Amino acid sequence: MSLGIKVAQQLDSKILLITGASSGIGEATAREFAAASYGKIKLILTARRENKLIEIAKSIKEEYPDIRIHTAKLDISDTEKIEPFIKGLPEEFSDIDILVNNAGKALGRNYTINTAPQHVDEMFKTNVLGMISMTQAVLPIFKKKNRGDIVNIGSIAARETYPGGSIYCATKASVRSFTSVLRKELINTKIRVIELDPGAVDTEFFLVRFGGDQEQARKVFDGIEPMSGQDIAEAIIFSVSRKPNTVIAEMLMFPTNQADTYHVYKSENQ
């Protein structure tokens, strides 16, 4: 039996919830799961930009007409809306099997003394509090059936800090600590807790970070070949399609010319 068929069998009829699914890693994850399951999966796609979610769902359905997709506008930084959202899911989407906590952001690249308080607040609410609240809302579903996969998208910045990234690095370090504790708390269950820490990925992340400045965002990748959202999505699929007795607890990924957050070797140095 081919690997592709085995993966499809593992994903068959699963219900997958992705936060931050309107672009980048989230969008790529939705598309890759649809492809890997041959459309035999149910997707719950959430993000702040509902119009983008609708476009993505329409595009996926054109390729896989029978796939079931539920889209919903949800800003996970507004934590009070998360539990009502989960409890209000349509019945056919309510028994979630896989949660991908993908939504996250960085705002600016200023030294701590110059970081705006609202940026600190927004990054922690999205990257940490929203992720924790979503996990708390979904966990009872997993506990009831004693199975499920929680995939937390961290960052290399949780492992290797850099000047100008104090708040973002701190949020991702929080994700890393939370994930580690959660895995220990669930050790006597069949619920798997997976952390994936990407390095440089070519998405809207840097465009958001630099306030929509396309030139500054593009300079990040000058002379290097970054990863794509699809690269990360493929790693997520690999992780959740393992046999139930196997957990890919942590995965660190970066481009071949990146060693850590502070050492990216550009073409002129090669």
Side-chain angles (χ1 to χ4, degrees):
M1 185 183 297
S2 71
L3 179 60
I5 293 175
K6 287 181 179 179
V7 170
Q9 288 179 342
Q10 289 286 347
L11 300 178
D12 189 21
S13 301
K14 294 285 181 71
I15 300 173
L16 167 66
L17 168 58
I18 307 170
T19 65
S22 60
S23 65
I25 293 172
E27 176 183 354
T29 300
R31 294 185 182 279
E32 287 300 306
F33 268 89
S37 65
Y38 302 105
K40 296 180 180 179
I41 197 168
K42 295 180 181 179
L43 300 177
I44 305 169
L45 308 182
T46 73
R48 292 176 299 166
R49 296 178 293 177
E50 189 174 19
N51 61 321
K52 288 285 293 180
L53 295 175
I54 293 171
E55 291 174 6
I56 292 166
K58 181 180 178 181
S59 174
I60 294 173
K61 286 180 179 179
E62 286 175 354
E63 191 166 359
Y64 305 99
D66 295 330
I67 195 170
R68 302 293 295 161
I69 304 178
H70 176 70
T71 61
K73 181 178 181 179
L74 181 67
D75 181 353
I76 66 166
S77 69
D78 190 352
T79 57
E80 293 184 356
K81 292 183 178 178
I82 292 175
E83 186 174 356
F85 165 74
I86 294 297
K87 290 184 175 179
L89 284 169
E91 185 175 355
E92 70 168 313
F93 291 95
S94 62
D95 194 20
I96 300 166
D97 297 291
I98 304 168
L99 168 63
V100 178
N101 281 315
N102 166 70
K105 64 173 63 175
L107 297 172
R109 192 165 177 176
N110 302 312
Y111 277 29
T112 306
I113 194 171
N114 297 320
T115 301
Q118 62 266 31
H119 285 179
V120 177
D121 186 63
E122 192 171 343
M123 280 189 274
F124 267 97
K125 281 184 174 178
T126 302
N127 299 0
V128 182
L129 300 182
M131 177 270 301
I132 292 173
S133 295
M134 180 60 77
T135 302
Q136 288 178 314
V138 172
L139 261 177
I141 299 171
F142 289 179
K143 291 279 285 185
K144 186 176 181 180
K145 57 188 177 183
N146 192 31
R147 62 177 173 81
D149 292 330
I150 299 168
V151 182
N152 291 334
I153 304 301
S155 171
I156 191 174
R159 303 168 183 248
E160 300 281 351
T161 59
Y162 55 92
S166 61
I167 308 307
Y168 179 70
C169 291
T171 65
K172 289 303 183 179
S174 297
V175 172
R176 183 164 169 76
S177 293
F178 174 78
T179 304
S180 178
V181 172
L182 187 63
R183 188 180 301 116
K184 293 177 175 67
E185 291 178 346
L186 297 172
I187 195 66
N188 292 322
T189 73
K190 294 182 180 180
I191 300 169
R192 300 188 294 193
V193 182
I194 299 160
E195 178 184 349
L196 201 152
D197 294 339
V201 185
D202 188 3
T203 67
E204 292 182 0
F205 175 87
F206 289 101
L207 188 62
V208 173
R209 179 169 216 167
F210 295 121
D213 187 330
Q214 293 186 356
E215 183 176 354
Q216 195 172 7
R218 189 171 57 249
K219 284 182 179 179
V220 173
F221 302 122
D222 281 353
I224 70 169
E225 184 180 354
M227 295 183 294
S228 67
Q230 182 179 352
D231 294 324
I232 310 306
E234 289 173 353
I236 295 171
I237 290 173
F238 176 81
S239 299
V240 303
S241 62
R242 300 307 89 200
K243 293 186 294 184
N245 67 322
T246 302
V247 58
I248 307 297
E250 297 180 4
M251 189 181 297
L252 173 63
M253 298 178 64
F254 41 73
T256 52
N257 49 356
Q258 181 177 12
D260 55 44
T261 56
Y262 212 59
H263 295 89
V264 179
Y265 298 92
K266 298 191 176 184
S267 57
E268 62 265 28
N269 297 328
Q270 295 178 355

